[in-house]
Amino acid sequence: MSLLRFKMVDAAINHRAVEVNVPDGRPSDYFAEKVFNRAAMRKYLDRKTFAILLETMEKRAPLPFEVADSVAAGMRQWAMEHGADHYTHWFQPLTGGTAEKHDFFAEPDGEGSVLEEFSGKLLVQQESDASSFPNGGIRNTFEARGYSAWDPSSPAFIVDTTLCIPTVFIAYTGEALDYKVPLLRSLTAINRAATEVCHYFDKNVQRVDTYLGWEQEYFLVDESLWAVRPDLMLTGRTLMGHESAKNQQLEDHYFGAIPTRVISFMRDLEYECLKLGIPVKTRHNEVAPNQFELAPVYEEANLANDHNQLLMTIMDKIARRHEFRVLLHEKPFKGINGSGKHNNWSLGTDTGVNLMGPGKTPTENLQFITFLVNVISAVYKYNGLLKASIVSATNAHRLGANEAPPAIISAFLGSQISGVLDKLAVDRDDDDIRFDAKNVFKMSGISHMPPLFRDNTDRNRTSPFAFTGNRFEFRAGGSSDNCAEPMIVLNSIVAAELTQFKKEVDEMIEGGMKRERAIYKKLKQMINACRAIRFDGNGYSDEWRREAERRGLDCENSTPLVLDRYLDERTVEMFSSMGVFSRVELEARAEVKWETYTKKIQIEARVLGDLTMNHIVPIASRYEAMLLDKVYKMSQIPGLNAQSDIELIKKIQNHTAQIQRMSDELVEARKKANPIEDQRQKAIAYHDTVAVLFDEIRYHVDKLEEIIDDQIWPLPKYRELLFLR
Ligand code: ADP
Ligand code: MG
């Protein structure tokens, strides 16, 4: 072991579990204590202000300026009493992370001291000079103004000593520059469309909310070891590293006993989450060594997404306290599973009905089938777009590998629901189909269908979009993603589908058809039309790929090309008719995605070049020189045979030569790609000519790792990185 590596491995072994910060007492004592929630509002706001604010929150309307000052005053008092001295608008720019710029609560009064200052104006809206956030050309430098505006539907909270106010981030000309604006718009669109469809079944429904339950997967590595892996530090993944002889083959990590150091970290993290009102619920070891998962109880989608964004930030902070680094990269290590973020998605009415779950009455079940069919039909029509919502330079390593959903979107429904749809689809128009009073699905000619029950057992882990009894689970998302992106797409396409459905059913009703008959007729058409999206088999198999191509599903797997789906004419039309994105916004966002793709690959290429030429090749040469010296000396003594050493030298020669040759190629490819002005073309060039070399170079580096003296190998090996205790 090299001295540095030895020191770091030694440090890692000696890192002990850090003392946990969690106080005694019940979680209910501290749950949401750092959130300006309804309880806090009631306490810190006067009755009238509270009532107006509540209404604003429920309607997702902007806060009237008249009450903004009193809300701000109450919020400031609460925040200061809870240890805050700064405030910030907290938003989600297209970098993928969150942004904050802290301001002190006090301002100079011009007479040598300070006045506490936090007006309604500062709470509600701020101009931001943040012209260096990605904006895809929407804000060129002379129109560099943008502003952030409070989203009262997500409560303010305190992190450390800063009051964080969730805000949207908009260009001066009104275009969205973040994830929250389109997410909120998509929630409005689906609320509108779904409520109208609900009225076929229940006139009392006034609102339909979207729910999101995410499951966050992540890796932990020891901080000392992380610090001597430039690839982990700078790209979040290992660009090289031979597989450990033992990794996940024995399946002994999944749901196994959680290492002591990790449990301390998790408890601290959960405590922080609970104080921030994040309803964390589940924690466990994941499949790969050092891989874990955290899942909360699902919440309204906008809040759930803020909570996930917040979680990713605090995870990182808490991990450092525990001398870990948290890796949210989708594929930090080759040869073992990567990390995703499942998005569990459902719709619920203000009358308490989950539209994605079988109901208690025949009407509820017809309603459920209606929504379910609309969802899969939407997913069918926009399967390429849904894929576009989760592709990235980092998730590309995961999709299509035999562990994560394939890079083809299909829907799994399970045998029961599939059976119902198949029967509906063969119904003749004059058949009488209905759910009878006992909730049994009946059709003439088919005497009996089992009642629908919640079916949680029929799981298909290989499906990217699976119905799991009372929700759909979209599993293709990456661990580092902002969930808003897939949620925006899913909400919008389902809203568009429901709108179309309503229009056509209404036309049939106006033409004299009975309502239920019209609904069935339309559903039947849709079930037949979207059959291709339904796939209950093994999504990892090669046959599926060929089959999916035959079915006309989107099988493209080059990230830059998949992103084209955002700009398909019918997509642009769909988003704009749903009021979610304008063409300009879509173009800008696609631009940002291509640019981000290029930059990530560019950084990886640089780090790889640096590692191979500064770390690996020199060490290989040193070992080679030792061998050469030995062979030379051996040749001086008659009767000694140096053949196997010569073979070894040849191998090293071969691998280093290949590495050097391809490293040069890598530089050349970048030189060629860099001057390309068009972001799409540039991303394609990076994908086709730069990224393709990574695995080939790595192959030779990993071969060298196998044969070079362990005493001098510079980088911590997988077996050292991967087994926390
Ligand atoms: P699994 O790993 O088996 O999928 P988990 O318990 O880890 O199951 O995660 C299930 C996730 O689904 C949780 O976040 C949970 O809150 C969420 N969930 C459960 N019911 C719903 C629902 N109706 N709508 C949205 N999310 C839901
Ligand atoms: Mg799940």
Side-chain angles (χ1 to χ4, degrees), residues 529-593:
C530 76
R531 194 168 284 278
I533 198 70
R534 284 163 55 194
F535 178 64
D536 287 7
N538 177 8
Y540 297 167
S541 67
D542 289 335
E543 299 86 73
W544 168 232
R545 209 194 149 73
R546 287 192 292 275
E547 166 71 14
E549 260 167 39
R550 263 199 302 279
R551 293 187 187 189
L553 298 177
D554 195 311
C555 295
E556 181 56 63
N557 58 18
S558 149
T559 300
L561 294 179
V562 172
L563 292 173
D564 283 345
R565 303 295 170 264
Y566 274 103
L567 297 175
D568 287 347
E569 223 24 67
R570 66 192 185 100
T571 301
V572 176
E573 169 58 29
M574 180 277 297
F575 274 129
S576 82
S577 70
M578 289 299 108
V580 175
F581 283 127
S582 66
R583 182 185 294 272
V584 176
E585 286 173 323
L586 283 171
E587 281 170 355
R589 298 170 93 89
E591 186 102 349
V592 170
K593 283 175 189 274

Side-chain angles (χ1 to χ4, degrees), residues 33 120 131-132 137 182 185 268 297 299 332 386 432 548 554 696 700:
E33 75 175 26
S131 53
S132 39
R185 291 177 185 159
D268 261 358
V297 176
E299 299 176 281
L386 201 54
D432 171 31
D554 195 311
E696 290 187 49
H700 294 285

Side-chain angles (χ1 to χ4, degrees), residues 337-579:
N337 279 14
S339 303
K341 182 149 57 198
H342 294 180
N343 283 207
N344 294 272
W345 175 90
S346 67
L347 299 170
T349 67
D350 59 341
T351 54
V353 175
N354 174 8
L355 297 169
M356 289 298 132
K360 293 183 202 70
T361 65
T363 314
E364 278 182 3
N365 272 341
L366 177 55
Q367 177 172 269
F368 158 60
I369 293 290
T370 299
F371 276 90
L372 180 111
V373 170
N374 271 278
V375 172
I376 58 168
S377 176
V379 170
Y380 168 63
K381 290 181 187 164
Y382 292 99
N383 67 88
L385 178 64
L386 201 54
K387 178 163 65 183
S389 75
I390 49 87
V391 295
S392 63
T394 51
N395 207 13
H397 296 283
R398 189 177 150 259
L399 294 173
N402 271 3
E403 46 152 302
I408 301 166
I409 303 294
S410 63
F412 168 85
L413 297 179
S415 52
Q416 185 192 200
I417 304 292
S418 286
V420 171
L421 297 196
D422 290 343
K423 296 208 163 148
L424 270 177
V426 296
D427 154 47
R428 282 171 293 133
D429 277 2
D430 52 351
D431 275 346
D432 171 31
I433 333 160
R434 64 200 151 77
F435 289 95
D436 75 5
K438 284 208 211 76
N439 200 20
V440 174
F441 188 75
K442 284 233 166 117
M443 284 181 256
S444 57
I446 302 155
S447 59
H448 182 83
M449 278 275 305
L452 298 178
F453 55 91
R454 279 201 183 174
D455 177 5
N456 264 317
T457 51
D458 208 354
R459 292 289 190 101
N460 178 338
R461 289 275 158 196
T462 70
S463 176
F465 194 77
F467 180 69
T468 49
N470 62 348
R471 61 189 191 268
F472 273 99
E473 185 166 342
F474 186 36
R475 304 196 178 117
S479 46
S480 67
D481 279 353
N482 185 317
C483 308
E485 195 68 10
M487 290 294 104
I488 292 164
V489 168
L490 191 55
N491 294 338
S492 305
I493 61 177
V494 173
E497 194 64 18
L498 289 167
T499 307
Q500 182 67 19
F501 173 82
K502 174 82 170 44
K503 186 168 158 268
E504 291 183 29
V505 170
D506 281 354
E507 279 165 10
M508 288 191 260
I509 296 172
E510 277 156 30
M513 197 181 285
K514 273 175 65 187
R515 193 178 58 197
E516 271 202 9
R517 186 70 252 162
I519 293 172
Y520 275 124
K521 195 172 157 121
K522 182 64 199 147
L523 290 181
K524 179 183 156 183
Q525 266 173 23
M526 291 162 81
I527 293 166
N528 282 315
C530 76
R531 194 168 284 278
I533 198 70
R534 284 163 55 194
F535 178 64
D536 287 7
N538 177 8
Y540 297 167
S541 67
D542 289 335
E543 299 86 73
W544 168 232
R545 209 194 149 73
R546 287 192 292 275
E547 166 71 14
E549 260 167 39
R550 263 199 302 279
R551 293 187 187 189
L553 298 177
D554 195 311
C555 295
E556 181 56 63
N557 58 18
S558 149
T559 300
L561 294 179
V562 172
L563 292 173
D564 283 345
R565 303 295 170 264
Y566 274 103
L567 297 175
D568 287 347
E569 223 24 67
R570 66 192 185 100
T571 301
V572 176
E573 169 58 29
M574 180 277 297
F575 274 129
S576 82
S577 70
M578 289 299 108

Side-chain angles (χ1 to χ4, degrees), residues 89-110:
H89 275 193
W90 181 81
F91 57 98
Q92 300 168 26
L94 298 178
T95 50
T98 55
E100 46 197 86
K101 168 178 143 269
H102 300 185
D103 281 306
F104 200 41
F105 264 132
E107 276 183 19
D109 62 358

